[in-house]
């Protein structure tokens, strides 16, 4: 099984009413839940670990995940409220206002001994859960138990408006990066974390500390990856008519993990040995899935019937 652990929430995404005025519509989201949904829709056995409310929005989340074949039996249900995020598109980038105090996600705790990690091929973590101290601590405990048998995937998916102490946050992200086998981040996240540092220099440092694969997505400019054996691989982004970019990075992450899984290259030792052609194929598939997600509003990753993966 492939598991994503972290945030599950409701995005209020921008639209317009019949009079042409700005409006919002609710859509199930949360970076890590999106990754789980993306993997499951493509056909991988996928599960979600995190907090899901029993309120109206929490039921929407649970129903949406289940309809996409995500196993939520390991999620913690509670009567805490659901996290809400209001989205605006500014200069092509999604900007968020979060309402996340005392929510099911914020109050999630890792229940040790409940996850059979010997059956978990990969664990993905990241995003808003890692901004607060409790979420970061619980996720670190989860990784500590998983790492012996599961590949660790990490996407910081930074939300600067939630960060109160940037130096502390940067140190926290560095700690998660040090425990990850696969790191994916957007160019916007990279700039927030590392400023003007050249991509290859930071990728080399991450590979040097034990990470197997580093990927940076760059919107319309495609994606570039670094791997100790396969070297540097660059793929183009597909040309699409963009509705919005919400969930595109999560769709990329889900598709990349799915592709590595299908190639039997997701296990740590097998990921270390991946060849350039295999990696390029996985990255191109991920870019195409992200592009398709951009053609429709909200985080709506593609189903296997919509994309072409040939074994």
């Amino acid at each position: 099984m492939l598991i994503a652990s972290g945030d599950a929430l409701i995005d209020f995404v921008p639209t317009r009413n019949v009079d042409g005025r700005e409006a919002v519509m609710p859509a199930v989201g949360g970076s890590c839940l999106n990754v789980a949904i993306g993997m499951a829709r493509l056909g991988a056995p996928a599960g979600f670990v995190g907090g899901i409310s029993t309120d109206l929005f929490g039921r929407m989340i649970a129903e949406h995940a289940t309809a996409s074949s995500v196993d939520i039996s390991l999620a913690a249900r509670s009567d805490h409220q659901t996290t809400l995020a209001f989205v605006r598109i500014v200069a092509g980038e999604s900007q968020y206002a979060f309402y996340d105090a005392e929510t099911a996600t914020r109050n999630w705790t890792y229940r040790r001994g409940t996850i059979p990690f010997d059956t978990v091929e990969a664990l993905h973590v990241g995003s808003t859960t890692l901004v607060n101290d409790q979420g970061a601590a619980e996720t670190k405990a989860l990784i500590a138990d998983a790492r012996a048998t599961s590949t660790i995937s990490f996407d910081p998916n930074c939300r600067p408006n939630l960060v109160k102490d940037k130096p502390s946050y940067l140190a926290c992200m560095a700690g998660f990066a040090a425990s990850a086998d696969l790191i994916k981040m957007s160019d916007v996240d990279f700039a927030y974390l590392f400023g003007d540092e050249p991509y290859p220099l930071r990728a080399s440092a991450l590979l040097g500390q034990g990470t197997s694969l580093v990927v940076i997505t760059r919107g319309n400019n495609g994606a570039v990856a670094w791997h100790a054996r396969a070297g540097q691989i660059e793929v183009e982004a597909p040309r699409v008519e963009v509705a919005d970019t919400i969930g595109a990075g999560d769709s990329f992450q889900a598709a990349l993990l799915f592709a590595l899984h299908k190639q039997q290259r997701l296990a740590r030792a097998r990921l270390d040995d991946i060849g350039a052609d295999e990696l390029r194929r996985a990255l191109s598939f991920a870019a195409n899935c992200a592009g398709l997600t951009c053609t429709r509003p909200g985080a709506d990753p593609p189903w296997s019937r919509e994309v072409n993966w040939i074994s």
Side-chain angles (χ1 to χ4, degrees):
M1 178 177 282
L2 312 182
I3 288 179
S5 175
D7 49 341
L9 52 82
I10 296 293
D11 285 322
F12 285 85
V13 299
T15 185
R16 292 192 178 274
N17 64 18
V18 293
D19 297 324
R21 291 181 296 176
E22 287 189 8
V24 294
M25 68 175 185
V28 174
S31 177
C32 294
L33 180 66
N34 292 340
V35 172
I37 288 172
M39 295 188 296
R41 287 185 175 184
L42 291 172
F48 174 75
V49 177
I52 300 178
S53 177
T54 55
D55 67 10
L56 168 66
F57 293 127
R59 293 195 296 274
M60 284 177 57
I61 290 168
E63 290 167 3
H64 182 71
T66 301
S68 294
S69 300
V70 175
D71 182 353
I72 59 170
S73 63
L74 298 174
R77 304 300 299 272
S78 73
D79 59 4
H80 295 290
Q81 296 181 55
T82 298
T83 299
L84 306 180
F86 289 81
V87 189
R88 294 200 78 187
I89 309 300
V90 179
E93 289 289 336
S94 301
Q95 295 188 0
Y96 295 82
F98 289 93
Y99 294 82
D100 192 33
E102 299 302 318
T103 61
T105 293
R106 286 289 291 268
N107 283 278
W108 167 73
T109 57
Y110 166 47
R111 297 171 291 175
R112 302 196 73 163
T114 60
I115 301 175
F117 284 113
D118 58 338
T119 67
V120 175
E121 189 175 7
L123 168 68
H124 174 74
V125 302
S127 198
T128 60
T129 305
L130 308 184
V131 175
N132 67 84
D133 292 341
Q134 177 176 323
E138 298 294 334
T139 305
K140 287 176 184 176
L142 177 66
I143 291 172
D145 285 354
R147 206 177 193 299
T149 54
S150 306
T151 297
I152 307 302
S153 164
F154 170 55
D155 177 4
N157 198 19
C158 305
R159 295 290 180 254
N161 58 321
L162 295 179
V163 175
K164 306 302 182 186
D165 181 347
K166 186 173 180 178
S168 177
Y169 176 75
L170 295 180
C172 181
M173 294 302 99
F176 281 107
S179 67
D181 302 293
L182 188 162
I183 300 171
K184 191 277 292 182
M185 70 186 88
S186 70
D187 50 359
V188 175
D189 290 338
F190 187 97
Y192 183 71
L193 295 172
F194 305 113
D196 295 329
E197 182 176 355
Y199 293 158
L201 187 63
R202 175 52 53 174
S204 178
L206 293 170
L207 294 176
Q209 71 183 17
T211 299
S212 297
L213 177 62
V214 178
V215 183
I216 298 174
T217 57
R218 305 170 299 172
N220 290 333
N221 294 317
V224 59
W226 291 265
H227 184 275
R229 181 176 181 272
Q232 180 176 325
I233 306 290
E234 190 167 353
V235 298
E236 295 182 352
R239 302 290 183 183
V240 298
E241 186 171 340
V242 176
D244 66 45
T245 60
I246 298 168
D250 305 327
S251 183
F252 184 102
Q253 185 83 41
L256 177 59
L257 293 171
F258 167 82
L260 294 172
H261 163 74
K262 292 296 285 185
Q263 294 178 115
Q264 298 183 5
R265 288 294 186 181
L266 190 49
R268 186 173 295 121
R270 298 281 291 159
L271 182 59
D272 285 343
D273 290 336
I274 194 170
D277 289 344
E278 292 172 298
L279 181 54
R280 185 181 304 279
R281 184 181 175 206
L283 292 165
S284 294
F285 179 76
N288 286 331
C289 287
L292 181 54
T293 303
C294 290
T295 65
R296 45 208 191 194
D300 188 7
W303 296 79
S304 58
R305 61 180 179 267
E306 299 177 289
V307 291
N308 185 30
W309 175 265
I310 302 175
S311 299

